[in-house]
C-alpha cells in the first residue's frame, strides 16, 4: 500500500508542479480547438464587404425583432444598432485573436465572458432560445455558456501560459 501511495504522490506531484504552465496552456488550446472557429465564422457572417458594412445577417442576429420588423433592410438600421453591430463584430474578431496569440490574454478572456453573456441574453430574448437550467439532467444553453465562462475564467485567472506574447512582453 505504501508503494501505491508513493507512486500516486510522485505522479501527481509532477503534474501539480507543472500546473502553473500546463493549465493556462491547455485552456487556450481548448479555446482554439472548440470556440475560435465558431467566433471567427460568426464574425465573418456579420460583414458585407467590410467591417463597416453590416450584413442583413448581422442585423438579424443581434437585433432579430427590429430586423424582422423592417424585413431585414439594413438601410433601416439606427445609428445605435450600427454601433452595436460594429462593436460586436470587432469583438468577435479581436478577442479570439488575442487569446490565440496570448496577448492581453486576461483582459481578452474577461471580454469574452462579457460577450458570452450578452450573446446569451440576445439568444434568449431575441431568438427565443430556452435558457434551461443547471443540474437538470439536460444539456441546455445555460450549461453550454457556464462551461464557456469557466474556460475563460481559467484563462483570466491563470494568464496565457508560457507560449504567448504576454510571456515575451512579461505581462501578467
Amino acid at each position: 500500500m505504501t508503494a501505491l501511495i508513493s507512486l500516486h504522490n510522485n505522479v501527481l506531484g509532477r503534474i501539480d508542479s507543472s500546473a502553473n504552465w500546463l493549465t493556462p496552456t491547455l485552456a487556450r488550446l481548448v479555446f482554439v480547438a472548440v470556440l475560435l472557429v465558431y467566433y471567427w465564422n460568426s464574425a465573418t457572417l456579420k460583414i458585407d464587404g467590410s467591417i463597416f458594412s453590416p450584413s442583413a445577417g448581422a442585423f438579424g442576429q443581434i437585433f432579430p425583432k427590429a430586423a424582422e420588423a423592417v424585413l431585414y433592410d439594413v438601410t433601416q438600421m439606427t445609428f445605435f444598432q450600427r454601433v452595436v453591430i460594429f462593436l460586436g463584430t470587432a469583438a468577435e474578431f479581436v478577442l479570439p485573436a488575442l487569446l490565440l496569440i496570448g496577448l492581453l490574454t486576461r483582459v481578452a478572456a474577461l471580454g469574452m465572458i462579457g460577450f458570452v453573456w450578452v450573446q446569451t441574453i440576445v439568444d434568449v430574448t431575441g431568438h427565443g432560445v430556452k435558457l434551461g437550467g443547471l443540474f437538470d439532467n439536460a444539456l441546455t444553453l445555460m450549461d453550454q455558456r457556464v462551461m464557456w465562462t469557466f474556460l475563460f475564467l481559467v484563462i483570466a485567472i491563470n494568464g496565457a501560459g508560457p507560449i504567448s506574447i504576454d510571456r515575451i512582453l512579461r505581462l501578467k
Side-chain angles (χ1 to χ4, degrees), residues 24-25 27-29 31-32 36 40 93-106 108-109 155 159-171:
T25 302
R28 283 184 46 235
L29 180 63
F31 165 74
V32 169
L36 178 71
W40 196 267
F93 279 123
V94 173
L95 296 174
L98 290 174
L99 287 169
L100 173 67
I101 63 174
L103 177 61
L104 303 173
T105 310
R106 291 173 190 236
I155 296 169
I163 305 169
S164 66
I165 295 178
D166 284 351
R167 181 61 55 98
I168 293 168
L169 298 175
R170 293 190 171 102
L171 296 175

Side-chain angles (χ1 to χ4, degrees), residues 34-78:
V34 177
L35 293 173
L36 178 71
V37 173
Y38 167 83
Y39 279 108
W40 196 267
N41 286 340
S42 177
T44 59
L45 292 173
K46 289 181 175 71
I47 58 174
D48 192 17
S50 90
I51 196 165
F52 300 106
S53 300
S55 69
F59 192 20
Q61 281 182 342
I62 298 174
F63 296 103
K65 292 176 182 174
E68 189 175 312
V70 296
L71 303 174
Y72 299 90
D73 180 3
V74 294
T75 64
Q76 300 296 313
M77 280 190 277
T78 66

